[in-house]
Amino acid sequence: MSELIVALRERSEEFVTLRRDIHQHPELGYQEFRTSDLVAKKLAEWGYEVTRGLGGTGVVGQIRRGTGGKRLGLRADMDALPIQEATGLPHASVHAGLMHACGHDGHTAMLLAAARHLAEQGRFSGTLNLIFQPAEEGLGGAKKMMQDGLFQRFPCDALFAMHNMPGTPRGTLALREGSTMAASENITITLRGVGGHGAMPHHAVDPVVAGSAIVMGLQTIVSRNIAPLQMSVITVGAFQAGQANNVIPNEATLKLSVRSLDRQVHKTLLQRIGELVDLQARSYGVQATVDFQGGYPVLVNTPAETAFAREVALELLGPDKVDLQCEALTGSEDFAFMLDEVPGSYLFIGNGDKSTGGHGACMVHNPNYDFEDANIPIGAAYWALLAERFLVDAA
Ligand SMILES: [Zn+2]
Ligand SMILES: [Zn+2]
């Protein structure tokens, strides 16, 4: 085992306690007041120059050392989810209906553990920017920090972030070059017909029949317009219309989630959804409005930075514990906004699988999930080593 992991493990109790404290006090996106206070206080204690207020509750801690001109950004997310925790653990959430079910408490703790180590013993030359962002879960906190001037105020030559991954052996790392997390788009379709008596459909214009045809039609976009080797998903998660057996409603609403792993595929999906809904609605005589509500772009790990991140992973853990080209995921992640502006890489740390069992093997966003504390020194050691290898004086 690497000396660095051993060193960080020896003092990991402080960060396990801190992680559990954050876990007990989960906060939703843009409401991470207690969490960001805690992060800011710790960073300041260890000598970081702390900037608050970016994206509301975002925190940036900066340390400059030596004469090196390189600038590194490491990012963690801080928000929790509106889920009622069911783990029954001693450190379970004390707030009803709120829970750290995605491990962002652990991401914050790993980066703080690295922050302390780097401030006290880090051998690097250059600028280290530690970015603690709010509201990753659907609210685009990364983008909000960028709109508040994140990269103008804290320019970075490369950026890295890590997410825990249940179902993979704990303490292992997995990386991937290229598209890694899906682009997402939320769409609401409203169909307006003419309501009427269920027994006299010829006097009405039925939005339920039109909506049903549209649900089926949408699946042909995936099967007929997108190349079979490209991933794409169109899910109609909600179809709402009517209340009574004998009443044809005026209106029907469809709510869609759209995913893909390629910018061009994503464009095609959105364009075809617009066309198909418009033409299908017209063929049934209903009026359609299609409201594209936005989502996250595809997360693309750049080649040079991913190669570098792999080297660091191999140096720290050896080849047995590193998956060098893992599969892409159909979930989305707002770190994608940051990678659209700065080159970098997003990687995964195994949170436990069937062999270890327990809450760590449970999938994220599940009420029985918990972050694996044994990963804190490993993730922290990875960040510390990556910072030391990246922030070197140019030869
Ligand atoms: Zn999540
Ligand atoms: Zn997450």
Side-chain angles (χ1 to χ4, degrees), residues 243-257:
Q243 307 220 15
N245 299 50
N246 61 351
V247 179
I248 292 169
N250 273 318
E251 229 176 74
T253 308
L254 310 183
K255 291 181 182 169
L256 279 61
S257 178

Side-chain angles (χ1 to χ4, degrees), residues 102 104 136-137 163:
C102 205
H104 299 184
E136 190 286 320
E137 298 286 357
H163 205 292

Side-chain angles (χ1 to χ4, degrees), residues 181-228:
M181 300 284 289
S184 66
E185 177 82 24
N186 290 323
I187 302 173
T188 297
I189 300 167
T190 310
L191 303 171
R192 285 184 193 83
V194 178
H197 199 297
M200 291 174 261
H202 55 300
H203 291 311
V205 179
D206 190 346
V208 175
V209 173
S212 305
I214 287 171
V215 171
M216 299 309 287
L218 288 171
Q219 299 310 314
T220 67
I221 297 175
V222 173
S223 68
R224 303 294 92 177
N225 299 139
I226 304 298

Side-chain angles (χ1 to χ4, degrees), residues 112-337:
L112 283 175
R116 176 161 194 183
H117 178 85
L118 283 163
E120 291 174 356
Q121 305 173 41
R123 292 179 299 262
F124 63 90
S125 180
T127 304
L128 176 64
N129 297 308
L130 304 183
I131 302 163
F132 295 83
Q133 79 150 76
E136 190 286 320
E137 298 286 357
L139 298 171
K143 195 174 182 181
K144 193 83 201 316
M145 284 190 90
M146 291 165 70
Q147 286 165 344
D148 287 347
L150 176 63
F151 296 126
Q152 286 76 46
R153 294 169 71 182
F154 305 96
C156 294
D157 299 307
L159 267 182
F160 298 88
M162 193 189 302
H163 205 292
N164 74 95
M165 188 49 62
T168 12
R170 69 181 175 209
T172 59
L173 292 172
L175 305 91
R176 178 184 169 81
E177 185 189 311
S179 298
T180 299
M181 300 284 289
S184 66
E185 177 82 24
N186 290 323
I187 302 173
T188 297
I189 300 167
T190 310
L191 303 171
R192 285 184 193 83
V194 178
H197 199 297
M200 291 174 261
H202 55 300
H203 291 311
V205 179
D206 190 346
V208 175
V209 173
S212 305
I214 287 171
V215 171
M216 299 309 287
L218 288 171
Q219 299 310 314
T220 67
I221 297 175
V222 173
S223 68
R224 303 294 92 177
N225 299 139
I226 304 298
L229 289 178
Q230 294 280 8
M231 188 288 278
S232 61
V233 175
I234 300 177
T235 290
V236 181
F239 184 169
Q240 291 152 343
Q243 307 220 15
N245 299 50
N246 61 351
V247 179
I248 292 169
N250 273 318
E251 229 176 74
T253 308
L254 310 183
K255 291 181 182 169
L256 279 61
S257 178
V258 179
R259 309 282 169 140
S260 70
L261 278 168
D262 179 271
R263 292 188 180 104
Q264 188 52 48
V265 166
H266 207 64
K267 245 174 105 178
T268 305
L269 285 171
L270 301 192
Q271 186 199 329
R272 284 293 296 139
I273 289 169
E275 289 168 0
L276 187 135
V277 171
D278 177 51
L279 291 168
Q280 286 273 37
R282 275 206 260 168
S283 77
Y284 286 88
V286 303
Q287 281 186 330
T289 51
V290 184
D291 182 17
F292 294 92
Q293 285 144 338
Y296 293 169
V298 55
L299 184 149
V300 183
N301 284 338
T302 51
E305 288 69 25
T306 304
F308 168 72
R310 281 174 177 144
E311 270 172 43
V312 175
L314 289 171
E315 181 183 343
L316 185 72
L317 297 174
D320 293 347
K321 292 193 166 176
V322 183
D323 182 350
L324 293 171
Q325 185 71 357
C326 62
E327 277 188 10
L329 297 175
T330 56
S332 302
E333 159 63 55
D334 79 346
F335 188 57
F337 288 115

Side-chain angles (χ1 to χ4, degrees), residues 18-40 52 56-59 77-83 85 92-105 108 133-139:
L18 188 140
R19 201 284 292 180
R20 293 181 177 184
D21 177 61
I22 297 173
H23 189 90
Q24 266 192 303
H25 303 93
E27 296 171 300
L28 290 176
Y30 299 123
Q31 294 166 36
E32 305 91 339
F33 304 113
R34 184 184 185 278
T35 311
S36 62
D37 278 353
L38 201 137
V39 167
R52 304 189 65 176
T57 42
V59 182
D77 39 15
M78 303 186 288
D79 58 322
L81 285 156
I83 293 176
E85 180 159 355
S93 168
V94 297
H95 299 309
L98 293 184
M99 177 188 176
H100 268 290
C102 205
H104 299 184
D105 50 344
T108 298
Q133 79 150 76
E136 190 286 320
E137 298 286 357
L139 298 171

